[in-house]
Amino acid sequence: KLRLLPSSLGGAGARSPDRGMGNQVVAPLLDGCCIGKDDGLIVDIEFPGSAAALSVSEGGEAFNAKEAYYKEWDSIRDALYSQDVVLIRGNWLEEVYRQGDVLPRRQDLPPQAVWPVEELMQHVKDHRRPTPQVLSISYSWLTRDHPDPDGYHLRSFAPLLKHFARHCKIGVDSLAIFIDWCSLPQRPRIKVEEVAYQRALHSIDLWYAHWLVEVWLLTRVPEGAIPYEDRGWPKFERALATLTSPPESTLDLGLLRGGWKSWSQVANDCQAQRRPPETPENFAADLANKAFSQREDLSFVSEKYHEVFERALGQEAQLWYAGLGWADREAQELAQLLPLCGSTLRDLELRGNEIASSGAAALAEALPLCDALERLSLDGNCIGSQAQQALTEAWQKTGKPRFGLEIGEQNFRPRNATPGIMRDVSGGGVSRGDTPPGMKSFRNATPQSTTSGGMLGGTTGSAAASEQLNQLLARQAAFEARIESSVARLTDGLVEVADAVGARQRRP
Protein backbone atom coordinates (compact mmCIF):
# COMPACT_ATOMS: atom_id res chain seq x y z
CA LYS A 1 0.00 0.00 0.00
CA LEU A 2 1.34 3.41 -0.93
CA ARG A 3 0.03 6.90 -0.50
CA LEU A 4 1.59 10.00 -2.01
CA LEU A 5 0.42 12.99 -0.01
CA PRO A 6 2.09 16.27 -0.97
CA SER A 7 -0.27 18.15 1.34
CA SER A 8 2.02 21.11 1.69
CA LEU A 9 1.04 22.26 -1.80
CA GLY A 10 -1.80 24.10 -0.13
CA GLY A 11 -5.38 23.86 0.99
CA ALA A 12 -8.70 23.85 -0.72
CA GLY A 13 -8.31 27.38 -2.00
CA ALA A 14 -4.59 27.41 -2.60
CA ARG A 15 -3.61 29.92 -5.27
CA SER A 16 -1.31 27.53 -7.07
CA PRO A 17 -0.03 28.27 -10.57
CA ASP A 18 -2.34 25.58 -11.96
CA ARG A 19 -5.46 25.55 -9.80
CA GLY A 20 -7.04 23.02 -12.13
CA MET A 21 -4.40 20.31 -11.68
CA GLY A 22 -6.55 17.56 -10.23
CA ASN A 23 -7.81 14.14 -11.13
CA GLN A 24 -7.62 15.00 -14.83
CA VAL A 25 -3.80 15.27 -14.66
CA VAL A 26 -2.68 12.92 -11.91
CA ALA A 27 -4.79 9.83 -12.57
CA PRO A 28 -3.57 9.22 -16.15
CA LEU A 29 -0.02 9.39 -14.83
CA LEU A 30 -0.70 6.55 -12.43
CA ASP A 31 -2.72 4.65 -15.01
CA GLY A 32 0.38 4.58 -17.19
CA CYS A 33 2.56 3.49 -14.30
CA CYS A 34 0.31 0.75 -12.96
CA ILE A 35 -1.42 -0.47 -16.14
CA GLY A 36 -2.35 -4.11 -15.90
CA LYS A 37 -1.58 -4.18 -12.17
CA ASP A 38 -5.05 -4.15 -10.63
CA ASP A 39 -4.60 -7.24 -8.47
CA GLY A 40 -4.53 -5.53 -5.12
CA LEU A 41 -1.87 -2.84 -5.59
CA ILE A 42 -3.11 0.20 -3.76
CA VAL A 43 -2.21 3.69 -4.82
CA ASP A 44 -3.80 6.68 -3.12
CA ILE A 45 -2.76 10.10 -4.32
CA GLU A 46 -4.09 13.42 -3.17
CA PHE A 47 -3.35 17.04 -3.97
CA PRO A 48 -5.24 19.25 -1.51
CA GLY A 49 -5.98 22.44 -3.35
CA SER A 50 -6.81 20.76 -6.64
CA ALA A 51 -8.85 18.18 -4.73
CA ALA A 52 -7.43 15.25 -6.65
CA ALA A 53 -8.11 11.96 -4.90
CA LEU A 54 -7.74 8.38 -6.06
CA SER A 55 -8.71 5.86 -3.41
CA VAL A 56 -8.59 2.14 -4.04
CA SER A 57 -8.56 0.39 -0.69
CA GLU A 58 -7.78 -3.18 0.16
CA GLY A 59 -9.76 -4.58 3.06
CA GLY A 60 -11.03 -1.10 3.92
CA GLU A 61 -8.26 -0.33 6.38
CA ALA A 62 -7.48 3.28 7.19
CA PHE A 63 -4.11 4.81 6.42
CA ASN A 64 -2.85 6.87 9.34
CA ALA A 65 -6.39 8.00 10.03
CA LYS A 66 -5.53 10.48 12.76
CA GLU A 67 -3.09 12.43 10.60
CA ALA A 68 -5.33 12.26 7.54
CA TYR A 69 -8.60 13.32 9.19
CA TYR A 70 -8.36 16.98 8.21
CA LYS A 71 -6.63 16.41 4.87
CA GLU A 72 -8.36 13.61 2.96
CA TRP A 73 -11.71 12.98 1.32
CA ASP A 74 -12.38 9.90 3.46
CA SER A 75 -13.46 11.91 6.51
CA ILE A 76 -15.75 14.11 4.39
CA ARG A 77 -17.33 11.05 2.81
CA ASP A 78 -17.89 9.43 6.19
CA ALA A 79 -19.50 12.58 7.62
CA LEU A 80 -21.95 12.73 4.70
CA TYR A 81 -22.72 9.03 4.45
CA SER A 82 -25.51 8.98 7.08
CA GLN A 83 -27.11 12.13 5.57
CA ASP A 84 -27.19 13.80 8.97
CA VAL A 85 -25.40 16.64 7.21
CA VAL A 86 -25.67 17.52 3.52
CA LEU A 87 -23.78 19.76 1.11
CA ILE A 88 -25.70 22.17 -1.11
CA ARG A 89 -25.24 22.47 -4.87
CA GLY A 90 -23.75 25.79 -5.85
CA ASN A 91 -25.96 26.21 -8.92
CA TRP A 92 -29.15 25.71 -6.86
CA LEU A 93 -28.03 28.26 -4.28
CA GLU A 94 -27.15 30.71 -7.03
CA GLU A 95 -30.63 30.27 -8.51
CA VAL A 96 -32.25 31.08 -5.14
CA TYR A 97 -30.24 34.30 -5.10
CA ARG A 98 -31.19 35.23 -8.66
CA GLN A 99 -34.89 34.74 -7.90
CA GLY A 100 -34.67 37.00 -4.85
CA ASP A 101 -35.75 34.24 -2.48
CA VAL A 102 -34.38 33.38 0.96
CA LEU A 103 -32.80 30.06 1.82
CA PRO A 104 -35.11 27.39 3.27
CA ARG A 105 -34.12 25.33 6.28
CA ARG A 106 -32.69 21.84 5.79
CA GLN A 107 -36.02 20.03 6.20
CA ASP A 108 -37.63 22.12 3.45
CA LEU A 109 -34.94 21.72 0.80
CA PRO A 110 -35.98 20.39 -2.62
CA PRO A 111 -34.16 17.21 -3.70
CA GLN A 112 -32.21 19.02 -6.45
CA ALA A 113 -30.55 21.26 -3.85
CA VAL A 114 -28.51 18.48 -2.26
CA TRP A 115 -25.35 16.65 -3.33
CA PRO A 116 -25.90 12.89 -2.85
CA VAL A 117 -22.75 11.53 -1.26
CA GLU A 118 -22.44 8.76 -3.87
CA GLU A 119 -22.49 11.28 -6.72
CA LEU A 120 -20.04 13.57 -4.93
CA MET A 121 -17.53 10.78 -4.42
CA GLN A 122 -17.92 9.58 -8.00
CA HIS A 123 -16.90 13.05 -9.15
CA VAL A 124 -13.96 12.98 -6.76
CA LYS A 125 -12.65 9.63 -8.00
CA ASP A 126 -13.38 10.00 -11.72
CA HIS A 127 -10.55 11.97 -13.34
CA ARG A 128 -12.73 12.61 -16.39
CA ARG A 129 -15.05 14.82 -14.31
CA PRO A 130 -14.35 18.14 -12.59
CA THR A 131 -13.47 17.57 -8.96
CA PRO A 132 -15.98 19.24 -6.62
CA GLN A 133 -14.82 22.11 -4.44
CA VAL A 134 -16.19 22.18 -0.89
CA LEU A 135 -17.00 25.65 0.41
CA SER A 136 -18.14 26.50 3.94
CA ILE A 137 -19.94 29.70 4.92
CA SER A 138 -19.41 31.15 8.41
CA TYR A 139 -21.85 33.90 9.40
CA SER A 140 -23.91 35.39 12.24
CA TRP A 141 -27.51 34.41 12.68
CA LEU A 142 -29.56 37.61 12.37
CA THR A 143 -32.68 36.26 14.10
CA ARG A 144 -33.41 33.28 16.29
CA ASP A 145 -35.92 31.79 13.83
CA HIS A 146 -34.07 32.41 10.57
CA PRO A 147 -30.39 33.34 10.21
CA ASP A 148 -30.93 35.44 7.09
CA PRO A 149 -34.61 36.38 6.80
CA ASP A 150 -34.07 39.18 4.28
CA GLY A 151 -31.27 37.58 2.27
CA TYR A 152 -28.58 39.98 3.53
CA HIS A 153 -25.93 37.28 3.84
CA LEU A 154 -27.00 35.54 0.64
CA ARG A 155 -26.51 38.74 -1.33
CA SER A 156 -23.03 39.15 0.10
CA PHE A 157 -21.60 35.84 -1.13
CA ALA A 158 -23.83 34.32 -3.82
CA PRO A 159 -22.66 36.74 -6.58
CA LEU A 160 -19.08 35.56 -5.96
CA LEU A 161 -19.77 31.88 -6.54
CA LYS A 162 -19.40 31.93 -10.33
CA HIS A 163 -16.14 33.90 -10.12
CA PHE A 164 -14.73 31.53 -7.51
CA ALA A 165 -15.78 28.52 -9.58
CA ARG A 166 -14.13 29.99 -12.66
CA HIS A 167 -10.96 30.52 -10.65
CA CYS A 168 -11.09 26.85 -9.65
CA LYS A 169 -11.61 25.94 -13.33
CA ILE A 170 -14.93 24.27 -12.60
CA GLY A 171 -18.59 25.22 -12.99
CA VAL A 172 -20.82 26.52 -10.21
CA ASP A 173 -22.56 23.15 -10.32
CA SER A 174 -19.32 21.60 -9.02
CA LEU A 175 -19.39 23.65 -5.82
CA ALA A 176 -20.51 21.73 -2.73
CA ILE A 177 -21.48 24.23 -0.03
CA PHE A 178 -21.89 23.82 3.70
CA ILE A 179 -24.16 26.41 5.29
CA ASP A 180 -25.60 25.29 8.60
CA TRP A 181 -29.19 26.51 8.02
CA CYS A 182 -29.47 24.33 4.91
CA SER A 183 -27.01 21.57 5.81
CA LEU A 184 -28.18 20.60 9.32
CA PRO A 185 -31.68 19.78 10.66
CA GLN A 186 -33.16 22.96 12.16
CA ARG A 187 -35.71 23.73 14.84
CA PRO A 188 -38.42 22.70 15.28
CA ARG A 189 -37.05 19.15 15.01
CA ILE A 190 -38.92 15.92 15.49
CA LYS A 191 -37.15 13.20 17.47
CA VAL A 192 -35.40 11.57 14.53
CA GLU A 193 -34.21 14.97 13.29
CA GLU A 194 -32.87 15.84 16.74
CA VAL A 195 -30.90 12.60 16.81
CA ALA A 196 -29.50 13.37 13.33
CA TYR A 197 -28.59 16.90 14.41
CA GLN A 198 -26.70 15.69 17.47
CA ARG A 199 -24.79 13.16 15.34
CA ALA A 200 -23.95 15.85 12.79
CA LEU A 201 -22.40 18.00 15.51
CA HIS A 202 -19.74 15.34 16.07
CA SER A 203 -18.20 16.22 12.69
CA ILE A 204 -18.99 19.95 12.66
CA ASP A 205 -15.27 20.71 12.86
CA LEU A 206 -14.63 19.17 9.42
CA TRP A 207 -16.45 21.97 7.61
CA TYR A 208 -14.07 24.60 8.94
CA ALA A 209 -10.77 22.88 9.77
CA HIS A 210 -10.40 20.54 6.78
CA TRP A 211 -7.72 21.34 4.20
CA LEU A 212 -10.06 20.54 1.31
CA VAL A 213 -12.63 23.08 2.46
CA GLU A 214 -12.49 26.75 1.53
CA VAL A 215 -14.04 28.91 4.27
CA TRP A 216 -15.68 32.27 3.69
CA LEU A 217 -16.26 34.46 6.75
CA LEU A 218 -19.20 36.85 6.39
CA THR A 219 -18.01 39.30 9.04
CA ARG A 220 -20.16 42.21 7.83
CA VAL A 221 -23.64 42.42 9.41
CA PRO A 222 -26.59 44.81 9.03
CA GLU A 223 -26.79 47.87 11.23
CA GLY A 224 -28.10 47.02 14.68
CA ALA A 225 -27.13 43.33 14.53
CA ILE A 226 -24.70 41.75 16.97
CA PRO A 227 -21.22 41.97 15.38
CA TYR A 228 -19.70 38.79 13.97
CA GLU A 229 -16.78 39.06 16.40
CA ASP A 230 -19.16 39.02 19.39
CA ARG A 231 -20.90 35.76 18.47
CA GLY A 232 -19.90 32.38 19.89
CA TRP A 233 -20.34 30.06 16.93
CA PRO A 234 -18.57 32.43 14.48
CA LYS A 235 -15.63 32.67 16.90
CA PHE A 236 -15.44 28.87 16.93
CA GLU A 237 -15.70 28.61 13.15
CA ARG A 238 -13.04 31.23 12.50
CA ALA A 239 -10.70 29.66 15.06
CA LEU A 240 -10.98 26.27 13.34
CA ALA A 241 -10.56 27.75 9.86
CA THR A 242 -7.29 29.40 10.87
CA LEU A 243 -5.97 26.58 13.05
CA THR A 244 -3.68 24.61 10.71
CA SER A 245 -5.02 24.91 7.16
CA PRO A 246 -3.18 27.15 4.65
CA PRO A 247 -3.82 30.89 5.18
CA GLU A 248 -5.08 31.39 1.65
CA SER A 249 -7.98 28.96 2.17
CA THR A 250 -9.87 31.33 4.51
CA LEU A 251 -11.36 34.56 3.17
CA ASP A 252 -12.96 37.37 5.18
CA LEU A 253 -15.55 38.79 2.81
CA GLY A 254 -16.13 41.67 5.19
CA LEU A 255 -12.87 43.08 3.81
CA LEU A 256 -14.10 43.03 0.21
CA ARG A 257 -13.83 46.41 -1.50
CA GLY A 258 -15.99 47.57 -4.34
CA GLY A 259 -14.72 47.70 -7.89
CA TRP A 260 -12.68 44.49 -7.82
CA LYS A 261 -11.84 43.12 -11.26
CA SER A 262 -10.38 39.64 -10.68
CA TRP A 263 -10.63 36.79 -8.23
CA SER A 264 -6.96 37.18 -7.35
CA GLN A 265 -7.78 40.71 -6.15
CA VAL A 266 -10.63 39.33 -4.01
CA ALA A 267 -8.35 36.67 -2.57
CA ASN A 268 -5.61 39.18 -1.79
CA ASP A 269 -7.90 41.78 -0.21
CA CYS A 270 -9.92 39.27 1.79
CA GLN A 271 -7.29 36.91 3.15
CA ALA A 272 -8.35 36.48 6.76
CA GLN A 273 -6.05 37.84 9.43
CA ARG A 274 -4.41 34.97 11.24
CA ARG A 275 -3.01 34.83 14.74
CA PRO A 276 -1.42 31.93 16.62
CA PRO A 277 -4.07 29.43 17.75
CA GLU A 278 -5.62 30.10 21.14
CA THR A 279 -5.07 27.58 23.88
CA PRO A 280 -8.30 25.82 24.90
CA GLU A 281 -8.19 27.63 28.23
CA ASN A 282 -7.94 31.09 26.65
CA PHE A 283 -10.56 30.17 24.07
CA ALA A 284 -13.03 29.07 26.75
CA ALA A 285 -12.47 32.22 28.81
CA ASP A 286 -13.16 34.51 25.84
CA LEU A 287 -16.06 32.37 24.61
CA ALA A 288 -17.92 32.95 27.87
CA ASN A 289 -18.37 36.59 26.82
CA LYS A 290 -19.79 35.78 23.38
CA ALA A 291 -23.45 35.69 22.35
CA PHE A 292 -25.30 32.45 21.54
CA SER A 293 -28.82 32.04 20.18
CA GLN A 294 -28.97 28.89 22.31
CA ARG A 295 -26.93 29.46 25.45
CA GLU A 296 -26.57 25.73 26.03
CA ASP A 297 -24.31 25.63 22.95
CA LEU A 298 -21.53 27.35 24.89
CA SER A 299 -20.31 24.26 26.72
CA PHE A 300 -20.42 22.14 23.55
CA VAL A 301 -18.44 24.68 21.52
CA SER A 302 -15.82 25.03 24.24
CA GLU A 303 -15.36 21.27 24.58
CA LYS A 304 -15.33 20.77 20.81
CA TYR A 305 -12.59 23.36 20.34
CA HIS A 306 -10.49 21.58 22.97
CA GLU A 307 -10.97 18.30 21.10
CA VAL A 308 -10.12 19.80 17.69
CA PHE A 309 -7.13 21.69 19.08
CA GLU A 310 -5.56 18.49 20.38
CA ARG A 311 -6.53 16.49 17.31
CA ALA A 312 -5.30 19.00 14.73
CA LEU A 313 -2.22 20.51 16.33
CA GLY A 314 -1.32 17.30 18.10
CA GLN A 315 -1.01 15.46 14.78
CA GLU A 316 0.37 18.22 12.54
CA ALA A 317 3.85 17.74 11.10
CA GLN A 318 4.03 21.13 9.37
CA LEU A 319 2.88 24.58 10.41
CA TRP A 320 3.14 27.40 7.84
CA TYR A 321 2.94 30.96 9.15
CA ALA A 322 4.96 32.85 6.54
CA GLY A 323 4.34 36.48 5.62
CA LEU A 324 1.59 37.12 8.18
CA GLY A 325 3.12 40.24 9.73
CA TRP A 326 3.69 38.50 13.04
CA ALA A 327 5.96 40.25 15.54
CA ASP A 328 7.29 39.36 19.00
CA ARG A 329 3.87 39.07 20.60
CA GLU A 330 2.72 36.43 18.14
CA ALA A 331 6.04 34.59 18.38
CA GLN A 332 5.71 34.46 22.15
CA GLU A 333 2.14 33.15 21.90
CA LEU A 334 3.28 30.53 19.41
CA ALA A 335 6.18 29.49 21.64
CA GLN A 336 3.68 28.66 24.39
CA LEU A 337 1.89 26.28 22.01
CA LEU A 338 4.90 24.47 20.58
CA PRO A 339 5.29 22.00 23.47
CA LEU A 340 1.77 20.76 22.69
CA CYS A 341 3.01 19.82 19.20
CA GLY A 342 6.37 18.53 20.36
CA SER A 343 5.93 14.88 19.41
CA THR A 344 4.80 15.45 15.80
CA LEU A 345 5.80 18.92 14.55
CA ARG A 346 8.80 18.62 12.22
CA ASP A 347 8.61 21.80 10.13
CA LEU A 348 7.80 25.33 11.34
CA GLU A 349 7.74 28.09 8.70
CA LEU A 350 7.95 31.67 10.02
CA ARG A 351 9.84 33.49 7.29
CA GLY A 352 8.87 36.98 6.11
CA ASN A 353 7.38 38.18 9.41
CA GLU A 354 8.48 40.92 11.85
CA ILE A 355 9.76 38.73 14.68
CA ALA A 356 12.59 40.41 16.58
CA SER A 357 14.90 39.47 19.44
CA SER A 358 12.42 38.83 22.25
CA GLY A 359 10.27 36.68 19.98
CA ALA A 360 13.33 34.71 18.91
CA ALA A 361 14.26 34.24 22.57
CA ALA A 362 10.83 32.79 23.32
CA LEU A 363 11.18 30.34 20.43
CA ALA A 364 14.66 29.36 21.61
CA GLU A 365 13.32 28.65 25.09
CA ALA A 366 10.66 26.32 23.64
CA LEU A 367 13.09 24.27 21.49
CA PRO A 368 13.98 21.66 24.15
CA LEU A 369 10.29 20.73 24.34
CA CYS A 370 9.95 20.28 20.56
CA ASP A 371 11.39 16.79 20.20
CA ALA A 372 10.37 16.20 16.58
CA LEU A 373 11.21 19.65 15.17
CA GLU A 374 13.77 19.37 12.36
CA ARG A 375 13.32 22.66 10.48
CA LEU A 376 12.67 26.20 11.70
CA SER A 377 12.65 28.96 9.09
CA LEU A 378 13.03 32.55 10.30
CA ASP A 379 14.51 34.15 7.19
CA GLY A 380 13.40 37.73 6.51
CA ASN A 381 12.43 38.70 10.07
CA CYS A 382 13.99 41.35 12.35
CA ILE A 383 16.22 39.27 14.62
CA GLY A 384 19.43 40.93 15.82
CA SER A 385 22.86 39.34 15.95
CA GLN A 386 22.86 38.48 19.67
CA ALA A 387 19.45 36.86 19.47
CA GLN A 388 20.52 34.95 16.34
CA GLN A 389 23.55 33.58 18.17
CA ALA A 390 21.46 32.56 21.19
CA LEU A 391 18.91 30.86 18.96
CA THR A 392 21.62 28.99 17.06
CA GLU A 393 23.19 27.79 20.30
CA ALA A 394 19.83 26.61 21.63
CA TRP A 395 19.18 24.75 18.37
CA GLN A 396 22.56 23.01 18.46
CA LYS A 397 22.23 22.20 22.15
CA THR A 398 19.06 20.20 21.51
CA GLY A 399 20.88 18.08 18.91
CA LYS A 400 18.69 19.08 15.99
CA PRO A 401 19.82 18.84 12.34
CA ARG A 402 22.66 21.25 11.69
CA PHE A 403 21.10 22.93 8.68
CA GLY A 404 17.54 22.78 9.98
CA LEU A 405 17.65 26.29 11.45
CA GLU A 406 17.22 28.81 8.63
CA ILE A 407 17.90 32.38 9.77
CA GLY A 408 19.35 33.75 6.54
CA GLU A 409 19.21 37.49 6.04
CA GLN A 410 17.11 39.69 8.27
CA ASN A 411 14.97 42.72 7.50
CA PHE A 412 16.08 45.12 10.21
CA ARG A 413 13.36 47.68 9.83
CA PRO A 414 9.86 46.31 10.54
CA ARG A 415 7.55 47.11 7.67
CA ASN A 416 5.32 49.38 9.74
CA ALA A 417 8.15 51.30 11.44
CA THR A 418 9.02 54.91 10.68
CA PRO A 419 11.98 55.00 8.26
CA GLY A 420 15.27 55.70 10.01
CA ILE A 421 13.90 55.01 13.49
CA MET A 422 14.73 51.72 15.22
CA ARG A 423 12.29 50.33 17.76
CA ASP A 424 13.75 48.57 20.75
CA VAL A 425 13.24 44.88 21.45
CA SER A 426 10.17 45.33 23.59
CA GLY A 427 8.46 47.18 20.76
CA GLY A 428 8.95 44.41 18.26
CA GLY A 429 12.08 45.68 16.51
CA VAL A 430 15.82 45.51 17.14
CA SER A 431 17.54 47.52 19.85
CA ARG A 432 20.35 49.93 19.03
CA GLY A 433 22.76 47.76 21.00
CA ASP A 434 21.81 44.63 19.06
CA THR A 435 23.40 45.59 15.78
CA PRO A 436 22.55 43.37 12.82
CA PRO A 437 25.47 41.30 11.55
CA GLY A 438 27.29 42.84 8.59
CA MET A 439 26.01 46.35 9.34
CA LYS A 440 27.88 49.06 11.28
CA SER A 441 24.69 50.80 12.29
CA PHE A 442 21.17 51.07 10.95
CA ARG A 443 21.41 54.85 11.33
CA ASN A 444 24.26 54.89 8.78
CA ALA A 445 22.35 52.90 6.16
CA THR A 446 21.47 54.56 2.87
CA PRO A 447 17.75 55.45 3.01
CA GLN A 448 17.03 54.31 -0.53
CA SER A 449 18.73 50.92 -0.23
CA THR A 450 16.99 47.62 0.25
CA THR A 451 17.41 45.92 3.60
CA SER A 452 19.78 43.03 4.07
CA GLY A 453 16.85 40.64 4.09
CA GLY A 454 15.82 41.59 0.57
CA MET A 455 12.62 43.38 1.65
CA LEU A 456 11.88 46.81 0.33
CA GLY A 457 13.23 49.51 2.65
CA GLY A 458 14.11 53.19 2.55
CA THR A 459 11.96 56.26 2.45
CA THR A 460 11.07 56.44 -1.21
CA GLY A 461 8.06 54.97 -2.95
CA SER A 462 4.61 54.19 -1.76
CA ALA A 463 4.23 52.66 1.70
CA ALA A 464 1.30 50.61 0.48
CA ALA A 465 3.28 49.28 -2.46
CA SER A 466 6.15 48.40 -0.12
CA GLU A 467 3.80 46.49 2.17
CA GLN A 468 2.27 44.57 -0.73
CA LEU A 469 5.68 43.72 -2.14
CA ASN A 470 6.88 42.45 1.23
CA GLN A 471 3.84 40.22 1.58
CA LEU A 472 4.22 38.97 -1.98
CA LEU A 473 7.87 38.08 -1.46
CA ALA A 474 7.12 36.24 1.75
CA ARG A 475 4.26 34.28 0.20
CA GLN A 476 6.37 33.42 -2.82
CA ALA A 477 9.18 32.16 -0.62
CA ALA A 478 6.82 30.05 1.45
CA PHE A 479 5.16 28.65 -1.67
CA GLU A 480 8.51 27.76 -3.20
CA ALA A 481 9.49 25.95 -0.02
CA ARG A 482 6.24 23.98 -0.13
CA ILE A 483 6.79 23.06 -3.75
CA GLU A 484 10.35 21.89 -3.12
CA SER A 485 9.22 19.73 -0.22
CA SER A 486 6.30 18.29 -2.17
CA VAL A 487 8.36 17.53 -5.28
CA ALA A 488 10.89 15.67 -3.16
CA ARG A 489 8.15 13.61 -1.55
CA LEU A 490 6.45 12.93 -4.83
CA THR A 491 9.72 11.80 -6.39
CA ASP A 492 10.38 9.43 -3.50
CA GLY A 493 6.82 8.14 -3.77
CA LEU A 494 7.04 7.45 -7.49
CA VAL A 495 10.25 5.54 -6.91
CA GLU A 496 8.38 3.38 -4.40
CA VAL A 497 5.56 2.89 -6.92
CA ALA A 498 8.05 1.71 -9.52
CA ASP A 499 9.70 -0.62 -6.99
CA ALA A 500 6.35 -2.07 -5.97
CA VAL A 501 5.29 -2.63 -9.57
CA GLY A 502 8.67 -4.16 -10.44
CA ALA A 503 8.50 -6.49 -7.45
CA ARG A 504 5.08 -7.78 -8.55
CA GLN A 505 6.30 -8.27 -12.10
CA ARG A 506 9.20 -10.39 -10.86
CA ARG A 507 6.95 -12.70 -8.92
CA PRO A 508 6.68 -16.21 -10.46
Side-chain angles (χ1 to χ4, degrees):
K1 180 170 184 175
L2 173 66
R3 172 160 297 180
L4 308 182
L5 184 63
S7 299
S8 59
L9 279 174
R15 322 296 178 215
S16 59
D18 182 4
R19 181 60 179 77
M21 188 182 77
N23 291 343
Q24 298 91 332
V25 174
V26 178
L29 176 64
L30 283 185
D31 287 343
C33 178
C34 303
I35 186 168
K37 301 297 176 183
D38 56 354
D39 55 344
L41 175 64
I42 301 170
V43 179
D44 288 0
I45 187 163
E46 178 176 332
F47 284 82
S50 53
L54 273 175
S55 181
V56 184
S57 60
E58 184 174 45
E61 75 274 20
F63 178 85
N64 206 351
K66 288 184 179 180
E67 188 173 321
Y69 184 72
Y70 292 115
K71 295 182 180 178
E72 301 197 19
W73 277 102
D74 292 348
S75 52
I76 293 177
R77 178 201 60 202
D78 294 344
L80 296 172
Y81 190 76
S82 64
Q83 299 183 34
D84 297 329
V85 56
V86 297
L87 297 180
I88 309 303
R89 294 184 184 273
N91 55 333
W92 176 83
L93 195 149
E94 191 178 52
E95 184 62 25
V96 173
Y97 159 72
R98 282 200 297 260
Q99 293 179 358
D101 295 334
V102 297
L103 294 173
R105 66 177 188 147
R106 159 73 185 276
Q107 293 94 317
D108 300 326
L109 288 175
Q112 66 270 22
V114 175
W115 270 97
V117 61
E118 297 84 2
E119 181 183 351
L120 182 74
M121 296 313 298
Q122 285 174 358
H123 280 254
V124 168
K125 295 178 181 180
D126 189 346
H127 62 81
R128 296 167 297 182
R129 303 180 182 183
T131 305
Q133 170 65 61
V134 183
L135 170 65
S136 185
I137 307 297
S138 171
Y139 63 106
S140 299
W141 278 44
L142 300 181
T143 71
R144 189 184 182 93
D145 297 326
H146 194 294
D148 194 24
D150 300 318
Y152 177 89
H153 288 314
L154 183 62
R155 292 192 298 273
S156 70
F157 77 89
L160 299 175
L161 294 176
K162 61 182 179 181
H163 302 283
F164 174 58
R166 187 180 302 120
H167 170 75
C168 297
K169 300 180 181 177
I170 58 177
V172 178
D173 57 342
S174 292
L175 294 179
I177 301 173
F178 176 87
I179 181 167
D180 60 358
W181 175 248
C182 300
S183 296
L184 304 175
Q186 300 299 329
R187 296 173 186 263
R189 294 184 283 260
I190 60 177
K191 185 175 181 180
V192 66
E193 293 170 347
E194 182 64 32
V195 171
Y197 174 75
Q198 294 299 329
R199 283 199 304 257
L201 288 181
H202 289 301
S203 60
I204 192 69
D205 49 308
L206 276 178
W207 312 116
Y208 305 99
H210 202 288
W211 284 43
L212 291 176
V213 178
E214 180 100 1
V215 181
W216 290 359
L217 313 176
L218 310 186
T219 57
R220 193 175 297 162
V221 298
E223 185 177 356
I226 299 177
Y228 178 96
E229 295 77 12
D230 293 341
R231 302 298 299 265
W233 274 104
K235 173 180 173 63
F236 170 77
E237 294 158 5
R238 180 169 192 151
L240 265 56
T242 58
L243 194 60
T244 63
S245 58
E248 59 269 20
S249 66
T250 304
L251 300 183
D252 180 354
L253 296 189
L255 302 176
L256 184 61
R257 298 178 294 178
W260 58 274
K261 300 184 182 301
S262 67
W263 184 258
S264 60
Q265 182 182 348
V266 174
N268 185 66
D269 290 347
C270 297
Q271 183 171 324
Q273 182 180 8
R274 179 169 297 215
R275 294 187 57 82
E278 287 186 273
T279 63
E281 294 75 21
N282 290 343
F283 181 87
D286 189 49
L287 190 69
N289 301 317
K290 303 300 182 182
F292 284 90
S293 298
Q294 307 293 333
R295 195 61 188 173
E296 58 268 25
D297 288 349
L298 190 153
S299 60
F300 169 82
V301 170
S302 179
E303 292 171 4
K304 191 65 175 178
Y305 178 80
H306 195 162
E307 172 193 325
V308 177
F309 182 91
E310 293 184 345
R311 186 172 197 170
L313 283 179
Q315 299 296 329
E316 191 59 57
Q318 298 174 318
L319 291 177
W320 297 83
Y321 299 128
L324 298 179
W326 286 6
D328 283 342
R329 178 181 175 182
E330 289 81 7
Q332 292 162 355
E333 292 175 2
L334 181 62
Q336 295 176 4
L337 299 176
L338 291 181
L340 303 177
C341 316
S343 61
T344 59
L345 181 63
R346 299 193 304 269
D347 191 338
L348 178 58
E349 178 63 70
L350 290 169
R351 75 174 70 185
N353 283 292
E354 298 177 2
I355 299 170
S357 296
S358 59
L363 294 172
E365 188 175 346
L367 287 179
L369 302 176
C370 302
D371 298 335
L373 189 64
E374 299 175 350
R375 177 179 176 269
L376 171 59
S377 176
L378 287 163
D379 187 24
N381 279 274
C382 310
I383 305 171
S385 58
Q386 296 176 15
Q388 290 184 42
Q389 181 63 31
L391 184 60
T392 301
E393 291 175 358
W395 182 268
Q396 294 173 347
K397 188 175 181 180
T398 57
K400 298 188 179 300
R402 179 181 177 185
F403 297 105
L405 178 61
E406 301 174 5
I407 297 179
E409 297 182 341
Q410 296 294 301
N411 173 32
F412 294 104
R413 180 176 64 80
R415 291 190 291 270
N416 57 356
T418 302
I421 298 178
M422 186 71 70
R423 298 184 298 176
D424 65 12
V425 173
S426 63
V430 187
S431 68
R432 294 181 187 271
D434 200 5
T435 305
M439 297 177 64
K440 294 182 179 180
S441 170
F442 181 86
R443 289 169 291 178
N444 297 330
T446 304
Q448 290 80 12
S449 64
T450 58
T451 64
S452 61
M455 298 296 185
L456 187 61
T459 58
T460 61
S462 166
S466 175
E467 175 70 16
Q468 291 178 359
L469 178 58
N470 283 325
Q471 292 181 1
L472 178 61
L473 291 173
R475 290 181 188 175
Q476 179 181 351
F479 179 75
E480 289 173 353
R482 292 185 187 185
I483 289 294
E484 291 173 3
S485 175
S486 298
V487 169
R489 294 183 184 182
L490 182 58
T491 301
D492 292 343
L494 290 176
V495 170
E496 292 186 38
V497 170
D499 290 344
V501 172
R504 287 181 175 271
Q505 289 177 334
R506 291 192 295 271
R507 289 180 182 177

